[in-house]
Every structure is written in C-alpha cells, then in structure tokens.
Amino acid sequence: TPALARLTEAGGKVVVIFPWPCGWRLHVPAWGGAGVAAGAMLLVRPQNLRDMVWAAVQSARCPGVGAVLCWLDARVPTNSLRRLQVAAGEGGACLFVIRPSVCRMVPSPAPLRLAVQASGAALVIELIKRRGAPAGLPLTLRSRKLFTRQEDAHALVRADTRGARSAALNDA
C-alpha cells in the first residue's frame, strides 16, 4: 500500500475490481489508514468473469488510472490473461491480478508472478516467474508496519457477514 498511497497523493486513481456477489467487500477506512486516498479509489464489481476481464483491460488502458487491482479466480482462460498483459503494456497503469494459490502452477503470460503469504509480522514473497535468471530463495520482509495479527491483515478486505444484499445497500 505505500506505493498506492504515493500514487494517490500524486493524483492517480486506483481501480479495484472484484466479483459481485462475493462474501467480502472493500474496507475503505483501512485503506485510508494505510495512506491511500479514498477519493482516488474506484470500485468496480462486475457480475461475471468476462466483465471483470473487460473492466481490468479498459482500466489498465485508461490514462488517468495509475493502478488496477483485480481479483480473478482460477477459471480465467490464458487468452484473457494475455489480453490483460497487453493492456498493461499499452497503458501507464500498474496491473495487479490477484489469483488463488491453486493457480500457482498454471502457466501465465505475466512477466512477473509472486506468491505472497503472511508469516507473523512478516511477508514471505516467492518469485514464481520473472524475466532473467531464476529466482533464489523467497524474500522475507519484516517491518513494524506489517500486520501483526490475522485480524489486522483482514482489515483491508473485510468479510461481509450480513450477506450480499446488505453489502449492496452499504455500497450505494
């Protein structure tokens, strides 16, 4: 989030795309606490996978967008991932596609693939794929600003225990 905070301070927009309906929703106060300007965040909640990919492609190509965060599931076809990679290259936005860990061994056209996992007060980052020489050991980042409790880590994306209907009312 520090990079997103700097991006929004400079006037850039952050597009957040995740499916509708789903069991969680964006918790804006937590992002604000991390320095990301709430007014610079645009939330897109498409109802199907095709629309999610379309929204991510269009957002990545948009000149006013600095970053796109898109949660996709394991059903995304390779040609859609390729479209996302091309769009990221054409536009000026950083495109982050977040997929479940079961996709770890599935081929992808992305030039950089990371596996990120919380481990206490640290993040363990494994380079799955990158340009150049093969990656070495996983990178462990320790910081006072990293989450120290599981509850803190889930604050950025909070579970909606009241159901999709009440989430729709809260997002309106």
Side-chain angles (χ1 to χ4, degrees):
T1 54
L4 296 178
R6 284 193 298 275
L7 187 137
T8 60
E9 285 173 7
K13 300 291 184 198
V14 176
V15 177
V16 181
I17 304 168
F18 61 90
W20 178 262
C22 71
W24 48 272
R25 60 190 168 110
L26 193 67
H27 188 62
V28 176
W31 287 86
V36 179
M41 296 184 75
L42 305 169
L43 177 60
V44 180
R45 296 189 73 180
Q47 294 186 10
N48 60 56
L49 182 61
R50 190 179 113 244
D51 290 347
M52 287 185 71
V53 172
W54 181 87
V57 166
Q58 298 307 313
S59 298
R61 288 180 176 154
C62 183
V65 173
V68 178
L69 289 81
C70 183
W71 277 260
L72 294 174
D73 62 26
R75 300 172 297 144
V76 180
T78 304
N79 64 336
S80 293
L81 293 173
R82 177 71 180 137
R83 283 180 45 223
L84 289 167
Q85 182 203 15
V86 169
E90 291 174 350
C94 295
L95 175 63
F96 300 92
V97 176
I98 298 99
R99 298 179 69 198
S101 60
V102 298
C103 299
R104 168 188 202 109
M105 301 309 289
V106 177
S108 168
L112 176 65
R113 295 181 68 196
L114 307 172
V116 180
Q117 184 168 344
S119 177
L123 287 179
V124 179
I125 303 170
E126 181 183 349
L127 288 148
I128 297 171
K129 177 183 173 184
R130 69 175 186 162
R131 291 187 175 133
L137 297 174
L139 174 65
T140 301
L141 299 177
R142 290 182 175 81
S143 171
R144 293 176 301 182
K145 296 204 177 214
L146 292 178
F147 307 117
T148 57
R149 300 178 322 178
Q150 192 68 20
E151 298 85 33
D152 295 336
H154 288 281
L156 293 177
V157 179
R158 177 169 285 176
D160 181 10
T161 57
R162 296 168 297 174
R165 181 169 168 72
S166 62
L169 295 174
N170 290 334
D171 289 341

